[in-house]
Amino acid sequence: MITGKTVVAGVVGHPVSHSMSPRLHNAWLAAAGIDGVYVPFAPGAHGFQRLVEGFRGGAIRGVNVTLPFKEQALKLADRRTDLAERAAAANLLLFEPDGRILADNTDGVGLMRAFALQAPKWSADRGPVTVVGAGGAARGAVAALLAAGAPKVFVVNRTLEKAEAIAQALGPQVKPLPLLHAVGALRDSTAVINATSAGVGAGTGLDLPLEATPDGCVVMDMFYKPVVTPFLEQAQGLGRPIVDGLQMLIGQAEPSFEAFFGAWPPAEVDVRALALEAIGQ
Ligand code: ATR
């Protein structure tokens, strides 16, 4: 039931209709008995700034931000967390009552939570990690890995300049490499993360010599449709532990929910099952 006190939050994207976030947040709200609602907003490609300005002053509590607005979200904010700044993107905006906008990034937290749950023996400080890709998602992952204590992060990308730009922004622990030299990075890595928009593995046009990774190297794919991607299948075939992008999605939603509604999501809701149903698996 919507009342006069209902706290409103949502997700902004273009498009937004595929977003799973409304299902997750509203299931948590119902189970927790919180007077709140989480709705999708789909401004046109050029309408993001007007939408965000309209929310200033606490018209709604906050929004998650998805493609293609994450970089713009960071710029529109008045205050930014360190992680959002280093990721150069925000997936969470909070509208303070005094009119200010706070930008945060919970994608990195989501990534680390997914590893903690699905690869509990792994930890970032154990050795180098390889991130494949050098777009916004990759930069966020690199920032999160460094914050979690990774001593070295290889950024392997088709276009070397973009990997070099991440190294320039995030420091000397970041080692840029062209895709052709991926093997040198994979050999030394405790984890490999696909953060390209392409998908990796059989039939995707982007192949990696995963067999070069050491035993026990954790393989993670930010793609989650299907949940076990060709890249993760390849990893399983080699006996490598895997972490999936669906768990990262859930992992970023949890701290977002707390920021909007003031409580951690209730553990009894099987949001993974809900999400799997939503993507038809
Ligand atoms: P996002 O913000 O979601 O990370 P992006 O900024 O468009 O998306 O970045 C996409 C990433 O996927 C880039 O690293 C891109 O490589 P380039 O920098 O060389 O363009 C990578 N990518 C996309 N399609 C690819 C393909 N077919 N082969 C290799 N890399 C690909």
Side-chain angles (χ1 to χ4, degrees):
M1 194 174 59
I2 305 288
T3 72
K5 292 182 186 153
T6 299
V7 176
V8 181
V11 55
V12 192
H14 180 84
V16 82
S17 57
H18 65 283
S19 172
M20 220 130 34
S21 296
R23 284 180 192 246
L24 307 188
H25 285 268
N26 287 308
W28 283 328
L29 285 167
I34 293 174
D35 187 358
V37 66
Y38 185 102
V39 293
F41 297 101
H46 304 292
F48 182 69
Q49 181 166 359
R50 261 181 296 173
L51 184 89
V52 167
E53 291 300 337
F55 289 152
R56 264 190 201 276
I60 76 171
R61 179 69 186 106
V63 288
N64 285 123
V65 181
T66 182
L67 300 181
F69 300 126
K70 290 184 180 189
E71 284 82 12
Q72 203 183 345
L74 183 79
K75 293 196 184 104
L76 290 174
D78 305 295
R79 290 191 298 145
R80 302 165 183 85
T81 62
D82 265 2
L83 203 53
E85 200 97 69
R86 284 174 63 78
N91 77 323
L92 174 65
L93 293 178
L94 292 175
F95 302 103
E96 307 292 358
D98 64 5
R100 289 195 296 182
I101 302 174
L102 171 69
D104 196 359
N105 193 319
T106 65
D107 286 332
V109 177
L111 177 67
M112 300 320 298
R113 286 181 62 76
F115 269 84
L117 198 73
Q118 296 186 329
K121 285 193 233 152
W122 179 88
S123 68
D125 55 8
R126 277 206 334 210
V129 178
T130 295
V131 172
V132 187
R139 177 160 170 177
V142 175
L145 289 162
L146 292 175
K152 192 191 280 188
V153 182
F154 296 107
V155 178
V156 175
N157 198 44
R158 179 176 60 182
T159 312
L160 181 62
E161 291 75 20
K162 284 207 225 161
E164 287 171 343
I166 294 182
Q168 191 105 51
L170 297 183
Q173 290 156 289
V174 182
K175 308 290 180 198
L177 280 174
L179 257 179
L180 286 173
H181 295 164
V183 99
L186 297 177
R187 249 195 324 247
D188 278 348
S189 289
T190 65
V192 181
I193 298 171
N194 172 36
T196 68
S197 51
V200 180
T204 63
L206 175 51
D207 270 318
L208 277 184
L210 260 194
E211 61 282 359
T213 54
D215 267 353
C217 174
V218 181
V219 178
M220 194 274 168
D221 198 337
M222 289 197 187
F223 254 48
Y224 57 85
K225 292 175 185 173
V227 175
V228 180
T229 60
F231 185 50
L232 294 182
E233 267 177 11
Q234 188 191 350
Q236 280 178 326
L238 292 165
R240 304 289 183 264
I242 63 166
V243 173
D244 61 57
L246 186 61
Q247 205 58 48
M248 175 175 170
L249 176 85
I250 295 168
Q252 65 75 35
E254 289 165 327
S256 300
F257 183 91
E258 186 183 37
F260 298 141
F261 303 111
W264 196 256
E268 71 267 21
V269 184
D270 188 351
V271 282
R272 194 171 161 93
L274 270 178
L276 283 169
E277 190 193 311
I279 55 180
Q281 279 191 255

